[in-house]
Structure formats: structure tokens, C-alpha cells
Amino acid sequence: MRRYTLSWTGGWGTSEKLKWMGYVIITKTPLRISFAGGGTDLPVYYELRGGAVVSAAINKNIYITVNKKFDKTIRVSYSKTENVNCVNDLQHEIVRECLKMVGISSGIEITSIADIPSGTGLGSSSSFTVGLLNALYNYVGSTLSAQELAESACEIEIGRLGNPIGKQDQFAAAFGGQNLFEFGKNGSVKHRKILIGDDDIRSMNRKLILFYTGITRNANVILKEQQKKSRNKLDTLDFMKDQAYQMYQVLSDEGFNEKFGLMLHEGWMKKKSIVSSISNGEINKIYESALEAGALGGKLLGAGGGGFFLFYCDEEKQSALRNAVGLKEVNFSFSRYGSRVVYLE
């Protein structure tokens, strides 16, 4: 039995592929919190002006297990279970396209477990895709860099399946840590790691609080509407992109401080003005209650419409904040790791 905490680097020869192919592999891939610039990673914007997003991986994960099956069929277990004879018969689109990309056509079993439900604004779909590709490529004796994993996941979700999503989630899941991602007009993505000290990380873990609204939604519906209206909201998206660079600079030069909370507030005010479905009366009421209780700023994560609220709040006011919003709190901390192989037997 072999256990690993990091994926391999370097290639495999043909004989090694044959030797290792078919072992049980488990990958662990983080979800993410996006702080600034969300929406500028959509092609309708970045193809015109380029985009930028600041985000961070958290210690809530998606686990993918890949195992060689005794017979030639394919079994996939997620919220439901599929048993099929042919890849094309799979209803789970992401699994189907990932298997095709890697070149696996039969005799495999795939299962998934998530710490957080899907449709809640933490990038779970892309984390699933990145984690599955990482597992499948290792299963056939290959390995991809974080950049290659993210680009491959984008090809699956955006290129092959045509989902109306951006590119930030795939890169956050693949790289881990705190990062600035820049989206070029030609579709390229550049990565800048945000170098902040351990004291700042501990402060972020203490002052940033995550609440679950209890509302799940189909992000694609909101994102389709946002894509349609983005060309009429270029000034707003310009502000959000510029704020991502500003946040990167503050974190790099000054560390984590109150400016971060104020930027969350400014960004949320701008974001919810893009399309009406990003927020609603109930969500606005929760946000106002949080500010009155002492939160300096916050935002609804992901595409909007539900999912998780993130707030910046000093410790002495957090009890009042919890009472004011009346929502389920989810404890979390930041993770330095992106998708990795954690088990191989």
C-alpha cells in the first residue's frame, strides 16, 4: 500500500504505465472563495478588455476515487449511480467527456464525495472536473501540471460542454493557495501567487466568516443572463477588474487589514447591479442586517442568487453578527494545496 500527499511530477515510460495502470487512486481537490473580479473571467468581457480575479482555496474539498472494475462496464456514483457499457451512454456529462479526453472507454469505477453541496457558489463543478481529470490521468500513468489540469478542465466545461461559465474556478482548484489570475484577450490565463505571511493567514481565518443561506441555484441560468448584459455593464466590470489588482497589491504590500473588508463591500455593491438575479429582497435584508451588526463588508459567493455569504467582521462583533443573520455558519480555513493525489494502492 502506498499513500501520497502530493501528485507526481515528471513523466512515465510505456512500461511504467502498464505496470501502474489500474490501481485505486483518490484525489482531493479544494473548493474556492472568490474575493474580487468575479465576472471578468467570462469571455464576453475578457476577450474585450482582459480580466482579473483574486481568489483562495479553502479546506472544503471534493474527493474522487477511481478504481479498475472487474468487468468491462463503467460504474459512476455521485448523487445517483450509473452502470453503462459504453462511455457515450453516461448521463453525467463531465464524467463522460473526461473519460473521452483521457482515452478510457471501459472497465472503470468512479465515485465522488463532497464536503459542501453543489450549486452554492464555491466552484464545486470545476473542482469536480479538475479532481476527476487528475485522478484519471494518474490512473493511466500520466500527470499534468496545475496549469495543464486547469486548461483541460476549461476545455471540458467550456469548450466541449458549452457551459456559460468563466475560467477562475478551474485554476483556483488546480493551483490552491491565494492567487491573482489574469485572463488575456486571447483566452490565456496567467497566475500570480499572493505572498502573505502566516499572521495574515491566521487573521483571515479569524475575521472572515462563512454563512450558508440555504438557497441552492443553477449558476448557469444567472451566468447566461450576465453574459447577455455584460456589454452594457463594461464600466462596472472594469471597476471589478481594477479592484482585483488593488486587492492583490494591498495583500502583497500591507497584508490583510480593514481595506479588505471595505473592498468586499464595494465589490458586492457593484456586482449585484449587473443583473437582478444576482440578489433579491431576502438576500439584501441579510446583508443589511450583517452590516448593522458590525460586519465591515461581505459578498455572496459565486454567481449569486443563493449559496454562501462571506463577511469580514472583527472578533468582538461576531456574536452579534451570528445572531443578526440567523444562518448556518460553516467553519473553514485557507488551504495552500490545489488538486492532489492523496491515496494510491
Side-chain angles (χ1 to χ4, degrees), residues 200-264:
D200 284 315
I201 292 292
R202 285 189 285 268
S203 183
M204 292 177 79
N205 286 332
R206 291 195 306 269
K207 294 180 184 290
L208 294 177
I209 305 180
L210 202 59
F211 293 104
Y212 181 46
T213 64
I215 305 169
T216 58
R217 78 287 181 273
N218 186 337
N220 286 356
V221 174
I222 299 173
L223 290 171
K224 283 180 181 178
E225 185 182 2
Q226 185 173 334
Q227 293 259 33
K228 291 178 182 178
K229 296 186 177 181
S230 286
R231 291 186 185 275
N232 298 322
K233 297 285 186 177
L234 291 178
D235 289 346
T236 299
L237 290 164
D238 286 344
F239 173 90
M240 296 170 72
K241 177 182 67 176
D242 291 343
Q243 191 188 57
Y245 284 110
Q246 180 187 1
M247 184 175 284
Y248 169 79
Q249 210 64 50
V250 168
L251 287 172
S252 299
D253 295 345
E254 303 177 25
F256 179 74
N257 56 37
E258 290 187 351
K259 291 181 182 179
F260 188 94
L262 295 173
M263 282 189 279
L264 287 180

Side-chain angles (χ1 to χ4, degrees), residues 5 29-30 64 98 100 102 180 185 271 307 324:
T5 56
T29 306
I64 305 289
C98 286
K100 287 183 178 180
V102 179
L180 169 73
K185 294 179 182 179
K271 180 175 180 176

Side-chain angles (χ1 to χ4, degrees), residues 28-326:
K28 178 180 181 180
T29 306
L31 302 178
R32 66 93 186 98
I33 289 176
S34 178
F35 296 126
T40 71
D41 63 319
L42 295 170
V44 70
Y45 178 80
Y46 70 66
E47 288 177 355
L48 289 175
R49 305 194 180 188
V53 169
V54 170
S55 65
I58 62 174
N59 67 340
K60 302 300 178 185
N61 300 280
I62 290 181
Y63 301 86
I64 305 289
T65 301
V66 170
N67 187 26
K68 183 174 177 62
K69 206 166 183 295
F70 179 75
D71 56 29
K72 296 295 184 181
T73 63
I74 300 170
R75 181 179 184 273
V76 181
S77 179
Y78 46 106
S79 57
K80 65 179 183 179
T81 299
E82 296 187 58
N83 285 284
V84 300
N85 295 314
C86 176
V87 170
N88 287 327
D89 292 334
L90 284 170
Q91 296 178 17
H92 197 299
E93 294 180 326
I94 291 176
V95 175
R96 183 184 68 231
E97 295 305 319
C98 286
L99 286 171
K100 287 183 178 180
M101 176 178 280
V102 179
I104 299 172
S105 59
S106 63
I108 194 168
E109 182 171 13
I110 299 168
T111 61
S112 65
I113 301 173
D115 290 333
I116 299 289
S118 61
T120 53
L122 298 180
S124 58
S125 175
S126 296
S127 291
F128 177 92
T129 309
V130 169
L132 178 57
L133 286 171
N134 198 10
L136 291 176
Y137 274 110
N138 274 280
Y139 177 82
V140 298
S142 187
T143 185
L144 299 183
S145 68
Q147 184 79 21
E148 291 169 330
L149 268 180
E151 289 174 351
S152 297
C154 288
E155 170 59 23
I156 294 290
E157 294 192 274
I158 303 170
R160 299 192 180 190
L161 297 178
N163 292 329
I165 62 175
K167 292 185 173 183
Q168 63 158 310
D169 295 349
Q170 300 87 347
F171 280 82
F175 278 92
Q178 294 82 30
N179 304 284
L180 169 73
F181 294 109
E182 299 176 277
F183 308 95
K185 294 179 182 179
N186 62 355
S188 63
V189 182
K190 294 182 180 179
H191 158 247
R192 288 199 227 173
K193 185 174 179 61
I194 302 176
L195 301 176
I196 54 179
D198 291 341
D199 288 343
D200 284 315
I201 292 292
R202 285 189 285 268
S203 183
M204 292 177 79
N205 286 332
R206 291 195 306 269
K207 294 180 184 290
L208 294 177
I209 305 180
L210 202 59
F211 293 104
Y212 181 46
T213 64
I215 305 169
T216 58
R217 78 287 181 273
N218 186 337
N220 286 356
V221 174
I222 299 173
L223 290 171
K224 283 180 181 178
E225 185 182 2
Q226 185 173 334
Q227 293 259 33
K228 291 178 182 178
K229 296 186 177 181
S230 286
R231 291 186 185 275
N232 298 322
K233 297 285 186 177
L234 291 178
D235 289 346
T236 299
L237 290 164
D238 286 344
F239 173 90
M240 296 170 72
K241 177 182 67 176
D242 291 343
Q243 191 188 57
Y245 284 110
Q246 180 187 1
M247 184 175 284
Y248 169 79
Q249 210 64 50
V250 168
L251 287 172
S252 299
D253 295 345
E254 303 177 25
F256 179 74
N257 56 37
E258 290 187 351
K259 291 181 182 179
F260 188 94
L262 295 173
M263 282 189 279
L264 287 180
H265 174 73
E266 292 171 352
W268 171 240
M269 291 296 103
K270 290 289 187 180
K271 180 175 180 176
K272 71 177 186 175
S273 71
I274 297 175
V275 294
S276 59
S277 54
I278 288 177
S279 189
N280 56 45
E282 181 182 356
I283 289 170
N284 290 338
K285 184 178 179 181
I286 293 170
Y287 189 77
E288 291 302 323
S289 296
L291 295 185
E292 291 173 4
L296 194 59
K299 62 172 294 188
L300 202 61
L301 299 177
F308 283 91
F309 253 124
L310 178 75
F311 291 107
Y312 177 110
C313 188
D314 291 327
E315 291 92 320
E316 64 271 17
K317 298 178 181 179
Q318 290 178 4
S319 179
L321 172 63
R322 294 182 178 98
N323 291 332
V325 299

Side-chain angles (χ1 to χ4, degrees), residues 321-340:
L321 172 63
R322 294 182 178 98
N323 291 332
V325 299
L327 298 174
K328 175 182 175 61
E329 181 179 355
V330 176
N331 293 321
F332 76 97
S333 60
F334 293 100
S335 174
R336 71 178 66 181
Y337 298 113
S339 183
R340 52 188 172 146

